[in-house]
Amino acid sequence: MDLKRLFLPCSLLSLLAGPAAAQQMAATAMASAEPSAEPSAEGIEFFEKKIRPALVKHCYECHSTEGGKVKGGLLLDTREGSLVGGDSGPAVVPHQPQESLLLTAIHYEDGDLEMPPKYRLDDAVIADFEAWIAMGAPDPREKATTGKTPQLYTNTIDLEKGREHWAYQTPQKPAVPAVADPAWGRNAIDAYVAEGHAKAGVTPAPDADPRSLLRRLSFDLTGLPPAPEEVERFVSAYAENADSALGETVARLLASEHYGERWGRHWLDVARYAESSGKEVNATYPYAWRYRDYVIDAFNADKPFDRFLVEQIAGDLLPAESEAQRAEQLVATGFLALGTKSLNEQNSRQFRFDLVDEQIDTMSQAFLATTAACARCHDHKFDPIPMSDYYALAGIFLSSETLYGTPNGQQSRRATDLIDLPAAAKALPSLSLGEILDLEYQRDVLNETAEDLQAKAAEARRKGDDDAQRFVGRILFTRTQLGVVEGKLLEYTKEGSPRRLAMGMRESGEPFDSQILIRGEEENATEERVPRGFLQVVKTGDEKPIPADESGRLQLAEWMASPENPLTARVLANRVWLWLFGEGLVPTVDNFGTTGEKPSHPELLDYLAVRLVELDWSVKDLIREITASRTYRMAATFDAADYEKDPENRSLWRARPRRLDAESLRDATLAVSGGLEAGRPEGSVVAKAGVGFIGRTIPEATFDVEMPHRSIYLPIVRGAVPESLALFDFSDPSLTAGKREITTVPSQALYLMNSPFLVKAAEDFAKQLYGDRGLRGADLAREAFYRAFSRPPTEAEGAETKAFIEQFLAAAKAEGMPEDEARLLALTSFCQSLLASAEFRYLN
C-alpha cells in the first residue's frame, strides 16, 4: 500500500464537496498533527538553512502572498499555511512524511500532483524536506505579509537591546568564590564548580582511581590507550604525589605527536573537513589533505589560537619570514574552500552567493558560535543580526576568490584554479615522461572524440533526425573524461614534476560591496549596497576600517581574534571543556545565540575565556589548567540522591561516562592488537585517486580501504565515509559539527561481532599474547586486561578466562583440532569479546 494515499480522502472530498470542505478537514488534521512542544534550536537552524531557502527559490512564486499567486489554495510562506494546506489537503504533517502531500508532490510520484511543475528538485533538497518533516517540521514563521515586496530593505533589529544577551557582554574575570570545603579544590576552576554543587545540593563524587584517570587522560589528549607499563608507573607515582604525577603525565601526552592527531580531529569536525565537494556532482578534493596536516601540526606546535584563526581566514594576506611559513599560511585558508558545492548550478551568480553563504555559515559558527547565515533571506529571527550585516560579510567573501580545483565535466561547470605553493611545501611523487605522454595522448583522443560526436549530432539535427538526442549522453560522458584527464595534467609540469598545489583563498582584482538580496534570491537584489564590514552587535573598539582595494578578510579575521571580542575566547574555552568532559558549559557549542542554551557555570566560562587570553591563546596551557583541577579527577560514581537532583549532571557532581568516539575506538583496537602504524602517511587515499567524480570516473570502492594508520588519515569523502567511522556517529562532513550525536543501534553490535576489521584485530591481539610471547594462565589474562582496560583482571575474571580457554580447548580436542590452532582460535574469541565489551568502548 502507498502510505501517501492515506491522504487521498482530503483530495477526494475537494472534488465531491468543493475546496471548503477539504480545507475544514485539513484544519482538523493540522490540529491533531501540530507538535505541542516549541521547536528546538537545532530544528529552527535546519529550517533556516535548508528549508526556507528552498521554499523561497522553488515555491513562493506560486504559493505565497508576496508572489501574488495562490495556486490550488496553497500558501507555503507561513507555518499555518503549510499545515492547513490547499485544496487537496495539508501539505505538511509533522513527524509523518508519508502523509505529507508536499513530499508526494516534490517526489513526482503522482502525475496529477507534481511541484514545481516544470522540473523535479534535486535529490538532496528532497531529502532535506523529508528530514525536516520527520523531525516535526520546526518552523518559526508566523503570518505572511500582504502585497508585493518592494526591492527595499528596512532593518528591524534593535542592536542595543540585542547587546544585553549574555554572550555579547565582554567577559570579566570574576572573583573566585569562597567555598565550604577549600581543601577539596586544586585551583580556581574547582571553586566555581563547588559553588555549583552547593546551589544544586549535590555532593561531588570521589576521585577516580589512578588507572581510570590515566586511561581518561590518555584518550582525552591522544585518542589512544596507555601502554601497560605506563599504567603501573603512573599508579606508583600517583601514590607518592598525585598532583606531580598528573602534571608530568599531562606534559608527556601534550608533547606526543598523537596529541595533534587527536585534537586536530576535533577541529576538523568544526571545519567540516572532507575530501570531496558532495551534493549532486561529487568531485574529489585531492589536495584537502594539506589542510588536515596543517591543523595537526598547528595543534602539536600549540599555535596560539588567535593566530590559528587569522591564518585560516586570511593567511594569504599575512607577511611570512620564510617560504615554509608562506606555504603554511596559504594552506590554512583551505578552511574556507573545503565546503560543499553545487558544481552543476547553471547560474554563476547564484553559485557565488551559495558559496559565500556556506563560508559565512561555517566561519560564524566555528569561531563565534553564531548562526549568521540565518540572516541571508531576512533579519535574523532570534539574534541581533540584521540582513545588512550578512551582506556586509558577503561583500568580503565576494571580493575574494575561492580556489578549490575540481575538473570541468558532465554537469560540472564550476572548475577553478588551485594555489601554487612555494618550493618548501611537500611534493607528491613525480610521473615519468611516459606517463605524461600517455595522459596527453588520452587528452587528444578524447578531444577528437568529443568534436566528432558534436559534429554528428549537429548533422543529425540538420537532417531532422529524431534520434539526434542519442549523442548528448555520449558527448557529456566524453567531456567528463576529458575534464578529468586535463585536471590530472594540470597537476604536473611537462617533465612530470608535481606542482605543489593547495586549496585556499586569494584576493580578487576588484573588491566591491554586496547588494542585499531580498528573500536571498539573486534576482531580487536591491539597488543599495552594504559597505563591507562585521557584525554590528559586537563592538571590540579596535576594529580596523576596510580599505577600498582590499576584500576585508584580514580585518574580519583580526576583529574575530581581538581579545575584546566577547565571543571568540568564550567559544573556544567552551569547546575545550567539551573535548575534555564530553559536554560543554554551554551545551549548544555552535550556537551562543538566544535559541542556544545558557551556560551552566557562567562565571567559570568567563574565567576560562579570560585565562585563555592571559595564556596568549595557548590551548595546551588551558588544558593543563583544566586537567589539574579536582573536577577533572572525579570518578563517574553513580549516586541515586544526587542523580534525582541533577540527572543531567549540569552541576558537574561526577565525571560523565563517555563512549569512545569512532576514531578512538578504531585506533584503540589497532593499538591493543599491535596493528597501529604510528607515522603519518604521504598525502591521502583521495590524493592518490586524483581528480575525478565519485561514482562516475572514480568508483566509490576506491575509498573503501583499510589502512594501519590512525583514523584521521582515512579518506573522508562526502557520501562515502568509512563504515568503521559512520556506524559510530562520525560527524556529517558537510556541516560544522562542534558536538557529535551519540546513538546506540543494533548495527554497531553486529559490526563488533562480524566485521573483518574486528575479527582480524582480535586474531592479531591473540597472536601478541600467545604466538609472540607464549603467555599462559594468569600472565595471559593480566596482559590482555591491561592492554584492553588498563587494569589487571579481578580474581573472578582471571578464573573465568582460564575456564573459557580450557573448555574451548577440550571441545577442539574432541573435534581433532591441533592444539596450537585451537589455542589461537580460543584466544581470538576471547580477545574479540574484550574488544567488543562496554568497558573497552567507554571511559569512566
Side-chain angles (χ1 to χ4, degrees), residues 233-485:
R233 280 201 301 268
F234 180 77
V235 170
S236 298
Y238 196 84
E240 292 183 10
N241 187 321
D243 292 342
S244 175
L246 191 66
E248 291 174 3
T249 300
V250 168
R252 174 176 61 81
L253 294 172
L254 290 176
S256 166
E257 292 295 307
H258 294 310
Y259 161 77
E261 293 169 329
R262 169 63 170 168
W263 282 64
R265 182 59 254 184
H266 286 319
W267 185 254
L268 294 182
D269 277 10
V270 176
R272 48 62 174 120
Y273 171 80
E275 298 176 83
S276 73
S277 65
K279 295 200 171 183
E280 302 85 1
V281 181
N282 200 1
T284 56
Y285 291 157
Y287 296 96
W289 64 271
R290 290 193 188 274
Y291 176 77
R292 176 202 68 195
D293 288 1
Y294 161 80
V295 170
I296 295 170
D297 292 340
F299 274 96
N300 274 331
D302 199 24
K303 187 186 291 285
F305 188 81
D306 57 343
R307 176 72 182 193
F308 184 59
L309 184 162
V310 173
E311 287 181 358
Q312 291 177 85
I313 302 301
D316 57 310
L317 303 176
L318 297 173
E321 297 179 358
S322 65
E323 280 199 346
Q325 185 183 13
R326 175 68 177 160
E328 181 180 302
Q329 292 169 183
L330 290 172
V331 169
T333 64
F335 170 82
L336 291 170
L338 287 165
T340 58
K341 295 171 184 65
S342 294
L343 297 175
N344 64 343
E345 173 61 59
Q346 297 185 34
N347 186 323
S348 60
R349 182 172 160 86
Q350 184 69 51
F351 177 81
R352 287 191 71 190
F353 272 104
D354 289 346
L355 173 61
V356 165
D357 181 73
E358 197 276 339
Q359 292 171 327
I360 292 173
D361 187 37
T362 301
M363 175 208 71
S364 63
Q365 287 193 77
F367 297 113
L368 305 175
T370 298
T371 55
C374 291
R376 177 181 183 176
C377 302
H378 47 74
D379 288 345
H380 202 295
K381 293 295 184 182
F382 307 102
D383 296 336
I385 304 174
M387 204 173 171
S388 55
D389 279 11
Y390 174 90
Y391 287 97
L393 292 171
I396 292 173
F397 293 110
L398 288 169
S399 299
S400 306
E401 286 188 66
T402 305
L403 305 176
Y404 50 85
T406 76
N408 278 314
Q410 181 182 5
Q411 298 182 329
S412 176
R413 306 170 178 85
R414 303 295 159 209
T416 72
D417 296 332
L418 288 160
I419 294 174
D420 275 296
L421 297 176
K426 184 186 298 183
L428 293 177
S430 302
L431 291 183
S432 67
L433 182 58
E435 289 171 315
I436 291 293
L437 292 173
D438 183 57
L439 284 172
E440 291 177 341
Y441 175 74
Q442 291 180 44
R443 176 196 60 195
D444 295 342
V445 169
L446 288 168
N447 238 329
E448 291 176 8
T449 302
E451 291 173 0
D452 181 57
L453 287 170
Q454 286 176 319
K456 289 178 179 178
E459 180 65 23
R461 283 193 296 271
R462 280 195 296 271
K463 292 180 178 179
D465 187 346
D466 293 337
D467 202 26
Q469 195 66 20
R470 72 183 186 276
F471 291 103
V472 174
R474 294 170 62 190
I475 292 171
L476 289 174
F477 181 71
T478 303
R479 286 292 180 193
T480 297
Q481 291 182 307
L482 176 61
V484 170
V485 171

Side-chain angles (χ1 to χ4, degrees), residues 204 240 244 321 358 434 480 545-546 612 632 653-654 681 703 788 794 810 826:
E240 292 183 10
S244 175
E321 297 179 358
E358 197 276 339
T480 297
I546 299 174
L612 177 64
Y632 184 81
W653 58 272
R654 67 168 181 153
F703 311 108
T794 64

Side-chain angles (χ1 to χ4, degrees), residues 215 228 765 769 779-794 796-798 800-801 830 834 839:
R215 190 168 191 266
F765 191 179
L769 298 175
D779 290 338
L780 184 148
R782 178 181 174 82
E783 180 71 12
F785 272 72
Y786 258 109
R787 281 176 177 253
F789 306 144
S790 303
R791 66 170 179 85
T794 64
E797 288 167 338
E800 289 171 3
T801 300
F830 165 65
L834 298 183
E839 185 171 356

Side-chain angles (χ1 to χ4, degrees), residues 572-805:
L572 178 62
N574 191 57
R575 293 194 190 283
V576 171
W577 192 273
L578 164 74
W579 295 335
L580 289 171
F581 288 90
E583 184 65 277
L585 296 170
V586 180
T588 51
V589 294
D590 299 322
N591 183 4
F592 276 27
T594 58
T595 58
E597 294 190 44
K598 294 180 179 179
S600 59
H601 297 71
E603 292 83 7
L604 174 56
L605 181 60
D606 277 10
Y607 170 82
L608 294 172
V610 173
R611 281 295 291 149
L612 177 64
V613 175
E614 289 177 348
L615 294 168
D616 295 325
W617 298 85
S618 167
V619 174
K620 284 188 177 182
D621 283 349
L622 189 62
I623 290 172
R624 288 186 181 95
E625 188 159 333
I626 293 174
T627 54
S629 70
R630 192 70 173 268
T631 304
Y632 184 81
R633 297 186 206 182
M634 280 194 291
T637 307
F638 180 81
D639 181 274
D642 289 333
Y643 180 82
E644 186 174 350
K645 295 173 185 176
D646 181 13
E648 295 183 359
N649 195 27
R650 295 287 280 148
S651 64
L652 302 170
W653 58 272
R654 67 168 181 153
R656 186 182 301 272
R658 290 177 278 148
R659 194 182 73 190
L660 297 179
D661 58 41
E663 296 93 329
S664 294
L665 181 58
R666 177 184 175 274
D667 294 350
T669 300
L670 287 172
V672 301
S673 63
L676 181 65
E677 190 170 318
R680 183 182 299 180
E682 184 177 67
S684 72
V685 173
V686 176
K688 291 180 174 65
V691 296
F693 301 99
I694 297 158
R696 293 191 173 108
T697 64
I698 303 176
E700 265 191 32
T702 304
F703 311 108
D704 184 16
V705 297
E706 192 50 65
M707 53 193 295
H709 298 91
R710 293 201 65 178
S711 300
I712 194 171
Y713 302 115
L714 289 174
I716 304 301
V717 171
R718 291 182 169 115
V721 172
E723 181 186 32
S724 59
L725 304 184
L727 277 176
F728 292 93
D729 304 312
F730 186 78
S731 64
D732 182 349
S734 298
L735 303 169
T736 293
K739 182 170 71 173
R740 295 185 182 181
E741 298 294 326
I742 300 175
T743 64
T744 301
V745 294
S747 55
Q748 294 168 348
L750 292 172
Y751 178 85
L752 295 173
M753 289 190 293
N754 302 316
S755 75
F757 171 74
L758 255 293
V759 172
K760 182 180 185 303
E763 185 175 343
D764 291 343
F765 191 179
K767 289 177 180 177
Q768 292 272 316
L769 298 175
Y770 172 64
D772 295 346
R773 301 178 63 181
L775 296 174
R776 302 282 184 104
D779 290 338
L780 184 148
R782 178 181 174 82
E783 180 71 12
F785 272 72
Y786 258 109
R787 281 176 177 253
F789 306 144
S790 303
R791 66 170 179 85
T794 64
E795 185 175 341
E797 288 167 338
E800 289 171 3
T801 300
K802 181 180 179 182
F804 168 77
I805 294 173

